[in-house]
Amino acid sequence: MNVKKLDSQFIANTYKRFPIEIVSGEGSIVKDEKGKKYIDMGSGIAVNSFGLCDKEWTKAVVKQLGKFQHTSNLYYHEPGVKLAKMLCEKTGMDKVFFSNSGAEANECAIKVARKWAAENVSEDTYTIVTLENSFHGRTLTTLSATGQDHYHELFNPLTPGFATIPAGSINALDELSKTTKIAAVMIECVQGEGGVIALDKKFVKELRRYTEEQEILLIIDEVQTGNGRSGKMYAYQNFGIKPDIVTTAKGLGGGLPIGATLMSKKVSGTLGFGDHGSTFGANPVSCAGAISIVKRLDEKFMKQVSAKSEFIFKEFKGAKGVESVSGMGLMIGIKTVKPAADVAAAAREKGVLVLTAKDRVRLLPALNIPMKELKKAVKVIKSCL
Ligand SMILES: *Cc1c(COP(=O)(O)O)cnc(C)c1O
């Protein structure tokens, strides 16, 4: 079957694909249609947390498939509550709403924030403030939250009630608050699509202090940074703050679609019967997969994530052809002298798959990538700089 030709004929033209077809894989190795093997340094954009066809994950998923694959949210089931309990215990959050993607997790967070502000501040307090260069999803409302104009072009009118400020500027937020009633501020601790840029620690702390003082909710979008990627369960835990709402998706399901909106005690009573819902939300198979991922994200495992992160930073910082290295944990951006796309193409030729974000080469390997494969991939990428 000529997959590439049929793809361009029958699939909507929204993705600029790399010129390979993935047919199988194991761990951090993927195989293309010609049988060529690659070391995967992107893990499906931070989705395959434990690589491809991870044994423990596959077993958990298949086991649940043999019981039942779906039930409506009108019935109780164990995988959903088990996963929610684990997420609350790992974060100190109070309740979870499950959906199927990052954008949906953010939609839920925005609804919670608006209803909370309407009930607890005033009905005309609804504006959600995000940061310039942010990315929060592709639905019309999360697109409105996204602080990059090029995503907005020709999709107007966007959802009203959003504003952006530059990252790092509490002053800009304070100025805005004089003319606008703000319900919540939503941030990514490391801007992923924006070029793998970690926020300044002092700014995040100051933002938490300011929002608390002003009765503004703080939402952390952990769709990409979450589930061990940063070297902690959630990236905000590196910043010494406690948000009001946390959203996550990508790596949570280990490869199956799931989104989660974690609500602190302050806001967890906001949504009531009929306020929100999702047919596929808390799908038991996705939840079973997610449980097998979250279960393994303990302190010891995080240490090896951090060790691998340090190795990558050390290898690329100051290396020939590298301008700078950014990010956190196993979410790393490398600003290269050559165009990032050229580096990605050269690495692909040599059997290593990397992603790009803006002008950077972006690395998002599986959290359990074997050191041997990681070393080999780094060597290959360096030879392409
Ligand atoms: C990927 C991403 C989203 C959107 O997630 P989808 O699952 O594609 O809807 C939202 N926020 C951030 C930070 C992301 O990286």
Side-chain angles (χ1 to χ4, degrees):
M1 189 186 269
N2 191 335
V3 170
K4 285 171 199 164
K5 187 162 167 270
L6 291 171
D7 185 294
S8 63
Q9 192 178 352
F10 292 111
I11 292 186
N13 257 325
T14 60
Y15 303 107
K16 193 167 171 227
R17 300 197 205 276
F18 293 123
I20 63 171
E21 177 198 340
I22 305 291
V23 293
S24 63
E26 195 182 345
S28 287
I29 304 292
V30 298
K31 222 196 257 183
D32 74 6
E33 77 280 14
K34 294 184 189 107
K36 181 174 170 180
K37 286 180 181 171
Y38 302 85
I39 300 174
D40 179 14
M41 294 295 283
S43 53
I45 316 190
V47 167
N48 298 327
S49 301
F50 283 77
L52 283 98
C53 302
D54 165 67
K55 287 204 171 62
E56 197 171 330
W57 177 85
T58 305
K59 201 173 144 198
V61 166
V62 170
K63 192 171 168 204
Q64 181 55 42
L65 269 173
K67 291 181 183 170
F68 65 100
Q69 78 276 33
H70 170 80
T71 174
S72 77
N73 277 306
L74 303 176
Y75 301 98
Y76 295 95
H77 66 72
E78 186 180 301
V81 293
K82 206 167 157 187
L83 178 60
K85 181 169 180 275
M86 286 169 94
L87 293 175
C88 288
E89 283 170 358
K90 284 203 176 273
T91 56
M93 291 282 148
D94 195 51
K95 282 191 195 315
V96 181
F97 179 87
F98 286 116
S99 51
N100 315 286
S101 68
E104 281 177 84
N106 286 339
E107 289 270 347
C108 175
I110 292 162
K111 281 180 75 173
V112 171
R114 286 199 170 158
K115 189 173 176 205
W116 184 88
E119 285 181 341
N120 293 279
V121 187
S122 68
E123 260 184 53
D124 58 350
T125 300
Y126 51 72
T127 296
I128 311 288
V129 176
T130 61
L131 301 182
E132 287 171 6
N133 198 45
S134 59
F135 182 85
H136 297 293
R138 304 285 200 157
T139 61
L140 269 172
T141 291
T142 56
L143 201 62
S144 312
T146 292
Q148 301 188 57
D149 287 340
H150 71 97
Y151 287 110
H152 298 165
E153 272 160 31
L154 305 182
F155 292 113
N156 288 308
L158 298 175
T159 305
F162 287 88
T164 52
I165 56 164
S169 180
I170 297 292
N171 217 11
L173 181 62
D174 192 44
E175 279 302 310
L176 182 69
S177 75
K178 288 173 185 157
T179 56
T180 306
K181 291 179 176 171
I182 302 168
V185 175
M186 176 154 75
I187 61 169
E188 303 152 88
C189 288
V190 183
Q191 295 186 326
E193 302 306 306
V196 203
I197 299 163
L199 295 184
D200 178 55
K201 233 177 205 158
K202 236 176 85 195
F203 166 66
V204 174
K205 281 202 146 142
E206 190 67 0
L207 180 63
R208 176 66 287 193
R209 193 193 53 75
Y210 181 88
T211 48
E212 225 155 44
E213 266 174 24
Q214 306 286 320
E215 267 207 294
I216 295 169
L217 297 176
L218 181 61
I219 305 168
I220 311 281
D221 178 343
E222 297 263 3
V223 171
Q224 192 164 153
T225 53
N227 313 298
R229 179 77 29 207
S230 73
K232 297 245 190 241
M233 180 66 190
Y234 289 108
Y236 76 79
Q237 293 167 331
N238 294 292
F239 290 78
I241 57 148
K242 259 202 101 203
D244 301 300
I245 303 172
V246 176
T247 62
T248 191
K250 290 193 169 88
L252 178 61
L256 283 172
I258 187 168
T261 307
L262 282 53
M263 294 166 269
S264 66
K265 189 137 197 112
K266 183 171 179 175
V267 302
S268 65
T270 305
L271 295 180
F273 290 135
D275 274 343
H276 201 44
S278 163
T279 297
F280 287 116
N283 172 272
V285 180
S286 295
C287 286
I291 290 165
S292 90
I293 300 292
V294 174
K295 202 161 71 178
R296 287 179 275 173
L297 302 177
D298 57 16
E299 290 276 314
K300 191 169 156 236
F301 184 79
M302 290 305 153
K303 278 210 177 106
Q304 65 87 38
V305 169
S306 300
K308 283 170 189 167
S309 170
E310 274 167 37
F311 168 75
I312 299 175
F313 270 95
K314 222 170 100 201
E315 284 288 317
F316 285 104
K317 259 193 179 159
K320 211 174 138 216
V322 172
E323 278 179 17
S324 61
V325 190
S326 63
M328 187 181 273
L330 287 177
M331 183 173 176
I332 294 171
I334 305 164
K335 196 163 187 307
T336 50
V337 176
K338 278 192 200 167
D342 293 357
V343 175
R348 190 167 63 243
E349 280 302 309
K350 294 183 179 179
V352 174
L353 300 181
V354 302
L355 300 164
T356 60
K358 292 262 173 86
D359 59 354
R360 283 156 206 255
V361 171
R362 173 163 56 152
L363 307 182
L364 294 162
L367 304 180
N368 67 341
I369 183 171
M371 206 56 210
K372 200 173 138 210
E373 282 159 20
L374 179 59
K375 278 185 176 161
K376 197 171 156 196
V378 166
K379 205 170 152 193
V380 167
I381 298 163
K382 281 173 101 170
S383 77
C384 300
L385 297 176

